[in-house]
Amino acid sequence: MPIANSELILNSDGSIYHLHLKPEHIAKNIITVGDPDRVSQVTKHFNHIECSIQKREFHTQTGIYRGKRITVISTGIGTDNIDIVLNELDALVNIDFKTKEVKKNLTSLNIIRVGTSGAIQSYIPIDSYIVTEVAIGFDSLLHFYDSAAIQFPQISTALVAHLNWATDKSVPYVVLFDKKLGRHMQSDLTQKGFTITNAGFYGPQGRTLRLAISDTAMNTKINSFQYADKKITNLEMETAGIYGIAKLLGHRAVSMNAILANRITGEFSTNPQKTIDNLIKYTLDKLVVYPE
């Protein structure tokens, strides 16, 4: 049965509603970044750029890096935008835009987030890199989907108890990276991550400017939480949403985190641009040898 026009919205030129992309515009290998300006920071390394399309905060460039076709797309900040980007990327490869029906043969995308993050353990050095193995969502995105089968409630239950989590906040959800892609992206230059995806940058991450926060001890409690042999390593704003939606749709996802701040020691990188550039080059060089 065709998907209703109100559910799968296409622009007059046949492109998907928010991203303004057509199926031929994207590759199987996709790098997501938050900042639209960071797209060109990735694609400056490409041998050739096929297309460059921008609508709102969604900037997309597809090209060739050392023989591999790669798409780089900016998501903006937060899991609300992740919901849009991942659903529309999936539609581009798995829904026939002419018939508006799901294709019989589905395509799995390789989705790699390259983003910045703050460490929540004092021993994690500034300018280091974390590959997230386990992601905890403090937002509510995954609860809007039939997602119980991919969650790990034993971890979220332990965390809720440890944090004395307020009942008026969304219950955290826990999802894993794609093991095959994720392990490929790891090396002796990266650390394994147990990452929290926050619902905001200031209060939700324990920052205060002029507004008081409801739990001033939250980061201290996060720092001391341990499940099995894992301690929470870092805080950011997209990873859990990417992992959850990607896994539900049958795509492979991994999050590469450049540690620019340490929330425990109060440090911040003295050369964040260099740190991000190095992570971009590392990611591209690992992705180009990933077997299709």
Side-chain angles (χ1 to χ4, degrees), residues 52-262:
S52 181
I53 298 166
Q54 184 159 6
K55 185 179 181 184
R56 307 182 191 185
E57 62 266 55
F58 308 119
H59 182 197
T60 305
Q61 291 187 352
T62 294
I64 305 296
Y65 177 74
R66 290 172 50 191
K68 178 159 285 195
R69 191 168 184 252
I70 299 172
T71 292
V72 185
I73 183 170
S74 60
T75 64
I77 298 174
T79 56
D80 51 346
N81 279 4
I82 294 302
D83 182 59
I84 291 170
V85 172
L86 264 69
N87 273 289
E88 293 196 1
L89 287 175
D90 177 78
L92 286 164
V93 294
N94 288 321
I95 297 175
D96 187 317
F97 281 11
K98 292 182 179 179
T99 65
K100 291 204 169 183
E101 293 184 336
V102 176
K103 296 178 181 178
K104 292 182 179 179
N105 297 317
L106 301 179
T107 297
S108 292
L109 301 170
N110 300 318
I111 301 169
I112 302 177
R113 172 191 176 268
V114 177
T116 59
S117 184
I120 198 71
Q121 301 294 336
S122 61
Y123 58 80
I124 297 175
I126 295 295
D127 302 320
S128 63
Y129 304 122
I130 286 177
V131 179
T132 300
E133 293 189 332
V134 181
I136 306 166
F138 276 7
D139 63 302
S140 60
L141 176 60
L142 216 57
H143 296 309
F144 287 91
Y145 293 95
D146 182 7
S147 60
I150 67 166
Q151 293 189 41
F152 289 80
Q154 63 271 36
I155 301 177
S156 53
T157 298
L159 181 62
V160 164
H162 180 82
L163 297 179
N164 191 24
W165 195 248
T167 57
D168 57 356
K169 293 179 180 177
S170 174
V171 176
Y173 59 89
V174 178
V175 285
L176 304 184
F177 72 161
D178 180 82
K179 290 183 179 180
K180 182 181 177 183
L181 179 60
R183 288 172 179 169
H184 175 80
M185 299 304 297
Q186 293 173 332
S187 74
D188 57 2
L189 298 178
T190 65
Q191 299 181 65
K192 297 176 180 179
F194 189 11
T195 300
I196 285 179
T197 294
N198 295 89
F201 184 78
Y202 288 97
Q205 293 191 39
R207 288 185 175 91
T208 58
L209 298 181
R210 292 204 318 116
L211 292 176
I213 57 176
S214 61
D215 186 354
T216 58
M218 182 178 67
N219 282 354
T220 301
K221 291 185 285 187
I222 288 172
N223 169 267
S224 63
F225 177 73
Q226 184 166 328
Y227 185 85
D229 62 342
K230 296 183 184 298
K231 300 196 78 172
I232 294 170
T233 53
N234 60 305
L235 313 176
E236 53 75 71
M237 294 178 62
E238 289 92 31
T239 297
I242 292 172
Y243 283 11
I245 300 299
K247 201 169 286 286
L248 288 173
L249 290 169
H251 304 299
R252 292 172 288 271
V254 64
S255 178
M256 313 291 292
N257 301 268
I259 300 301
L260 300 187
N262 190 301

Side-chain angles (χ1 to χ4, degrees), residues 27 42-51 61-71 284 288:
V42 179
T43 60
K44 70 181 182 181
H45 298 287
F46 283 16
N47 307 108
H48 169 69
I49 296 175
E50 296 176 11
C51 64
Q61 291 187 352
T62 294
I64 305 296
Y65 177 74
R66 290 172 50 191
K68 178 159 285 195
R69 191 168 184 252
I70 299 172
T71 292
L284 287 170
V288 81

